[in-house]
C-alpha cells in the first residue's frame, strides 16, 4: 500500500468489478499538478480531502479553498460510520485509522478564519485591473499609477492609498498625460468609481496589513505533518472575481518567493483550486496565458497545483495539458456540451484496453473515479477505474464552536487578527497636500508683506531672475525636501520586500515578458 513515497488514493477494479490493486500518487510527481473533476455530488470534495490528508501526512503543507464549508471537517477526527468502514474494506485500507489534521483556517473577511490580506502593491496592476474588470486603456492608467507611486515613493497598502493616488493622478492628469499619454481626468475618474464599487463589495478588508506571510502557509508540525490551510470561501464565492484574483495573487507570490528546487522528492506545497472555472470564466487571453505560465513555472519551485472543477472543459487546454495527476469522477452526458466534456475527459487518458473511458465516465458511482497518475519517468499511468478511499478525518463540516476553538489555538493566532494602518500613500498624500497648503499660505503671507513693505527688490513688479519664472519660496522648497526625505525614510524602513513588490508588480512582471 502507500509508503512514504506515495499517497494511497484507492483501489482499482477489474472488469468484473473485483479488487485489482492499490492506486497511488507518487509524491515525487506531486508537483506535476493535478485535476479533480466530476458532476455535482460525485465525490470531488472527498477526493480533495483524502489527497490533502495524504500530503499533510507526508509532511507537505496544503492550501485549499473550502467552497461549501464541507472540507472543514478535515480538522477533526473521523468516526467509523458503516459506509466508510465498508469502503475501507473494499479498497483494502487496513488498518483504517482516524485522524485529525493540523488545520489553519483563513478567511478574506476575517469571520471564519484568520484574516488574509495582501497589499495593493503586492497585488500589482494586472491583477487589480482584472479584479476591477478594467478595460485595456484603464489598465494602462493603472500601470502608470503604479509607476508613479514607485517613482515618488508612495506606499500602496490599502484601497484608501490607491484611491488617494488616483485622485492625485486625476489632479495632475495633464502633466502625467503629457509624459505617459492616455491619462485624462474622466478616464481616471472612471477607475475611481470602479474602485468604490470594489470597496462596497467588501474588498477593503482584504487589502492592507499585516499581509499574509508565505511562511505561514508553509508550516509543518513538530511531528512532521504539513499544515493544511483551509480558506473559507463560501462568502468569497459571491464575488468570484475577488476569489480568482486572490488565488492568482497567492500563486504568483509563491512563484516570486520560493527558490528553485529542481525535482524534489515531494512537493514543498500543494495548492487546491476548487471551483477552478471561476479563474478562467471570461478571463482575457493575456491572463489565461499568465496562469498557464505561472502553473508551468511554479512546478520547479516544488509547488503542485490541483484544479477541482465540475467540467474539464472549464480549464483551458494549455493548462489542462500540464495536469499530470487526474481523478475523473462521473460526468453526465445529456447535452452536447456534456457529451463533449466526456469525450475530452476520455481522450486525455492513456487508454486501458479493458474498458471504454467515455462509457465508463458516465457510469461511475459516487466516490469512484477514473484515475491516472504519473509513474516512473513522469509518464501517465494507464487509466484505472478506481474506488476512492474514505477519509480519516471527519466527513462534512465542523461546528462554529469547533472552528472558533481551532482559530484561537492556531499557530498564527493573534498575528493577523488586527489591521495595522501605518503611514502609506493616503497619509503621505494628505500630508503633502497639507504641506502645499501651508506653503501657499506662507507665500501669501510673504506676498502680503511684500505688498505692505515695497521697494526691497523682490516685490511682484520686480524682474524675476529666471526668465520670468518665479523661484519657489526658499522655505517651501525646504519643506518639500523634508517631506521627500521623510517619504524616502519610510520607504526604506518598510524593508526591501514591499519596495521590490512595487517594482516587480507581481504577475505584471511576467506580463512584461519573462
Ligand atoms: N471516497 C469516498 N468514500 C466514501 N464516501 C464518499 C467518497 N466520496 C464521496 N463519498 C460520499 O459522497 C458524498 C458526496 O461527495 P462530495 O461532497 O465529495 O461530492 P462533490 O463532487 O464535491 O459534490 P459538489 O459538486 O456538490 O461539491 C459524500 O458526502 C460522501 O457521503
Ligand atoms: Mg464538493
Amino acid at each position: 500500500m502507500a509508503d512514504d513515497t506515495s499517497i494511497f488514493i484507492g483501489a482499482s477494479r477489474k472488469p468484473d468489478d473485483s479488487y485489482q490493486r492499490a492506486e497511488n500518487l507518487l509524491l515525487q510527481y506531486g508537483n506535476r499538478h493535478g485535476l479533480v473533476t466530476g458532476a455535482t455530488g460525485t465525490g470531488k470534495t472527498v477526493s480533495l480531502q483524502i489527497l490533502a490528508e495524504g500530503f499533510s501526512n507526508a509532511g507537505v503543507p496544503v492550501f485549499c479553498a473550502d467552497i461549501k464549508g464541507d472540507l472543514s471537517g478535515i480538522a477533526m477526527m473521523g468516526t467509523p460510520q458503516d459506509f466508510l468502514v465498508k469502503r475501507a474494506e473494499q479498497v483494502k485500507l487496513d488498518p483504517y485509522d482516524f485522524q485529525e489534521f493540523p488545520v489553519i483556517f483563513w478567511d478574506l473577511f476575517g469571520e471564519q478564519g484568520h484574516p488574509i490580506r495582501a497589499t495593493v502593491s503586492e497585488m500589482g496592476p494586472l491583477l487589480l485591473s482584472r479584479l476591477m474588470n478594467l478595460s485595456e486603456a484603464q489598465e494602462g492608467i493603472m500601470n502608470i499609477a503604479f509607476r508613479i507611486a514607485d517613482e515618488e515613493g508612495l506606499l500602496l497598502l490599502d484601497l484608501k492609498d490607491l484611491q488617494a493616488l488616483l485622485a492625485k493622478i486625476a489632479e495632475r492628469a495633464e502633466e502625467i498625460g503629457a509624459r505617459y499619454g492616455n491619462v485624462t481626468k474622466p478616464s481616471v475618474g472612471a477607475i475611481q468609481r470602479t474602485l468604490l464599487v470594489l470597496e462596497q463589495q467588501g474588498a477593503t478588508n482584504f487589502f492592507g496589513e499585516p499581509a499574509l506571510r508565505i511562511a505561514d502557509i508553509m508550516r509543518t508540525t513538530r511531528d512532521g505533518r504539513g499544515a493544511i490551510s483551509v480558506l473559507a470561501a463560501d462568502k468569497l464565492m459571491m464575488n468570484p472575481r475577488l476569489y480568482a484574483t486572490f488565488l492568482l495573487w497567492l500563486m504568483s507570490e509563491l512563484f516570486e518567493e520560493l527558490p528553485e528546487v529542481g525535482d524534489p522528492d515531494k512537493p514543498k506545497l500543494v495548492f487546491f483550486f476548487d471551483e477552478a472555472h471561476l479563474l478562467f470564466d471570461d478571463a482575457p487571453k493575456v491572463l489565461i496565458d499568465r496562469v498557464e505560465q505561472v502553473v508551468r513555472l511554479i512546478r520547479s519551485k516544488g509547488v503542485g497545483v490541483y484544479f477541482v472543477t465540475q467540467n474539464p472543459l472549464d480549464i483551458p487546454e494549455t493548462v489542462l495539458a500540464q495536469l499530470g495527476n487526474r481523478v475523473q469522477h462521473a460526468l453526465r452526458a445529456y447535452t452536447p456540451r456534456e457529451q463533449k466534456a466526456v469525450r475530452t475527459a476520455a481522450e486525455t487518458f492513456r487508454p486501458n484496453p479493458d474498458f471504454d473511458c467515455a462509457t465508463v465516465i458516465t457510469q461511475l458511482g459516487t466516490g469512484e473515479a477514473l484515475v491516472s497518475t504519473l509513474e516512473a519517468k513522469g509518464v501517465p499511468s494507464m487509466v484505472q477505474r478506481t474506488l476512492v478511499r474514505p477519509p480519516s478525518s471527519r466527513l462534512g463540516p465542523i461546528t462554529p464552536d469547533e472552528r472558533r476553538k481551532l482559530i484561537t489555538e492556531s499557530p498564527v493566532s493573534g498575528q493577523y487578527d488586527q489591521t495595522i494602518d501605518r503611514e502609506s500613500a493616503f497619509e503621505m498624500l494628505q500630508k503633502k497636500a497639507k504641506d502645499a497648503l501651508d506653503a501657499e499660505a506662507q507665500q501669501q503671507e510673504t506676498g502680503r508683506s511684500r505688498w505692505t513693505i515695497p521697494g526691497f527688490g523682490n516685490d511682484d513688479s520686480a524682474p524675476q531672475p529666471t526668465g520670468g519664472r518665479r523661484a519657489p519660496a526658499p522655505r517651501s522648497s525646504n519643506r518639500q525636501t523634508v517631506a521627500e526625505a521623510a517619504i524616502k525614510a519610510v520607504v526604506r524602513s518598510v524593508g526591501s520586500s514591499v519596495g521590490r513588490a512595487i517594482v516587480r508588480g507581481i504577475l505584471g512582471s511576467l506580463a512584461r515578458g519573462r
Side-chain angles (χ1 to χ4, degrees):
M1 199 150 291
D3 47 33
D4 55 2
T5 62
S6 64
I7 294 173
F8 175 55
I9 299 178
S12 51
R13 321 289 292 166
K14 291 183 187 153
D16 66 1
D17 219 27
S18 62
Y19 178 91
Q20 180 172 269
R21 60 152 207 238
E23 296 297 326
N24 298 314
L25 187 154
L26 286 177
L27 286 167
Q28 179 190 359
Y29 296 120
N31 65 335
R32 299 288 194 92
H33 308 321
L35 179 69
V36 179
T37 50
T40 176
T42 53
K44 296 184 297 298
T45 300
V46 176
S47 291
L48 192 165
Q49 188 170 351
I50 63 109
L51 288 174
E53 290 180 355
F55 281 117
S56 173
N57 278 336
V60 178
V62 172
F63 187 98
C64 48
D66 187 12
I67 305 288
K68 293 189 185 153
D70 55 351
L71 187 58
S72 55
I74 196 166
M76 308 304 290
M77 180 94 73
T79 44
Q81 300 175 64
D82 291 347
F83 73 103
L84 296 175
V85 173
K86 175 163 175 258
R87 176 62 66 99
E89 282 165 8
Q90 282 175 306
V91 301
K92 299 196 197 288
L93 173 58
D94 186 25
Y96 177 28
D97 291 324
F98 292 96
Q99 211 185 324
E100 56 189 20
F101 287 80
V103 169
I104 304 179
F105 288 106
W106 301 95
D107 182 359
L108 262 65
F109 302 100
E111 289 160 8
Q112 299 191 66
H114 301 287
I116 201 162
R117 296 184 202 86
T119 61
V120 166
S121 59
E122 281 174 329
M123 183 63 74
L126 177 78
L127 286 179
L128 267 169
S129 301
R130 157 100 171 111
L131 178 60
M132 292 161 68
N133 204 18
L134 299 185
S135 68
E136 217 167 287
Q138 291 172 325
E139 189 182 331
I141 297 177
M142 282 291 258
N143 279 319
I144 294 169
F146 271 70
R147 202 150 136 193
I148 287 171
D150 195 13
E151 283 170 8
E152 306 192 359
L154 296 170
L155 271 180
L156 299 177
L157 302 180
D158 49 27
L159 292 185
K160 167 157 124 283
D161 291 332
L162 187 57
Q163 204 47 282
L165 174 69
L166 289 170
K168 196 77 203 156
I169 286 176
E171 238 173 68
R172 291 166 50 193
E174 210 165 301
E175 168 225 326
I176 293 170
R179 200 149 39 114
Y180 298 103
N182 283 339
V183 179
T184 61
K185 213 171 244 179
S187 58
V188 181
I191 303 179
Q192 286 178 285
R193 285 190 296 279
T194 317
L195 192 54
L196 276 181
V197 175
L198 191 66
E199 282 169 9
Q200 280 154 10
Q201 287 169 344
T204 313
N205 302 320
F206 172 57
F207 290 98
E209 289 185 315
L212 176 72
R213 279 179 316 170
I214 292 302
D216 277 332
I217 61 166
M218 302 199 61
R219 288 169 173 267
T220 47
T221 59
R222 273 202 205 101
D223 60 359
R225 290 184 299 160
I228 301 179
S229 284
V230 175
L231 176 73
D234 46 351
K235 194 170 159 195
L236 191 53
M237 293 311 296
M238 317 267 192
N239 189 344
R241 203 173 279 132
L242 181 59
Y243 172 71
T245 313
F246 164 71
L247 291 177
L248 276 176
W249 163 77
L250 190 53
M251 216 158 68
S252 57
E253 279 298 289
L254 289 167
F255 173 74
E256 298 278 354
E257 288 205 13
L258 300 180
E260 293 281 329
V261 290
D263 280 323
D265 54 7
K266 64 184 183 196
K268 298 289 176 200
L269 177 81
V270 166
F271 208 94
F272 288 95
F273 266 111
D274 207 349
E275 303 284 343
H277 63 98
L278 294 174
L279 270 184
F280 304 107
D281 281 354
D282 42 65
K285 179 162 186 313
V286 49
L287 194 85
I288 293 179
D289 289 349
R290 284 327 135 220
V291 175
E292 187 265 319
Q293 218 171 359
V294 174
V295 169
R296 180 155 42 80
L297 295 172
I298 208 168
R299 199 174 100 185
S300 62
K301 311 273 175 143
V303 178
V305 182
Y306 289 69
F307 293 93
V308 182
T309 188
Q310 292 199 4
N311 190 328
L313 296 180
D314 295 336
I315 315 279
E317 237 165 274
T318 48
V319 176
L320 209 52
Q322 303 183 48
L323 311 179
N325 300 299
R326 300 193 173 195
V327 177
Q328 174 67 62
H329 287 283
L331 290 174
R332 283 184 299 258
Y334 303 128
T335 68
R337 182 175 147 84
E338 287 169 351
Q339 285 156 8
K340 178 157 185 253
V342 168
R343 275 198 308 277
T344 306
E347 280 162 12
T348 52
F349 284 116
R350 187 175 136 200
N352 185 328
D354 284 348
F355 58 84
D356 174 53
C357 262
T359 313
V360 169
I361 286 178
T362 60
Q363 297 167 345
L364 293 165
T366 306
E368 193 182 7
L370 289 180
V371 171
S372 168
T373 57
L374 295 181
E375 49 187 25
K377 299 205 172 97
V379 174
S381 65
M382 188 189 289
V383 61
Q384 298 293 347
R385 199 178 155 175
T386 304
L387 268 185
V388 178
R389 63 157 289 181
S392 296
S393 51
R394 182 192 295 174
L395 192 70
I398 55 172
T399 67
D401 280 345
E402 287 167 339
R403 186 186 287 267
R404 222 166 296 126
K405 184 161 178 288
L406 287 164
I407 293 172
T408 319
E409 291 166 356
S410 111
V412 300
S413 185
Q415 286 183 37
Y416 292 97
D417 303 322
Q418 296 300 321
T419 315
I420 301 171
D421 192 5
R422 66 189 164 107
E423 190 177 68
S424 50
F426 173 74
E427 290 81 6
M428 287 186 207
L429 288 172
Q430 254 188 352
K431 192 158 158 266
K432 263 193 176 176
K434 188 176 170 297
D435 285 352
L437 275 179
D438 287 353
E440 211 170 287
Q442 178 85 28
Q443 213 153 48
Q444 270 171 12
E445 218 140 87
T446 324
R448 226 176 293 138
S449 60
R450 272 194 219 120
W451 178 252
T452 47
I453 315 170
F456 277 81
N458 61 349
D459 56 338
D460 286 349
S461 57
Q464 294 296 316
T466 50
R469 212 197 275 162
R470 170 181 292 176
R475 184 88 196 270
S476 80
S477 96
N478 223 349
R479 277 203 189 177
Q480 197 81 335
T481 320
V482 171
E484 300 289 355
I487 289 166
K488 292 213 175 89
V490 172
V491 171
R492 265 197 304 276
S493 77
V494 166
S496 58
S497 77
V498 174
R500 189 166 42 85
I502 295 174
V503 179
R504 70 170 193 237
I506 305 293
L507 274 172
S509 68
L510 284 170
R512 284 193 287 276
R514 201 184 292 174

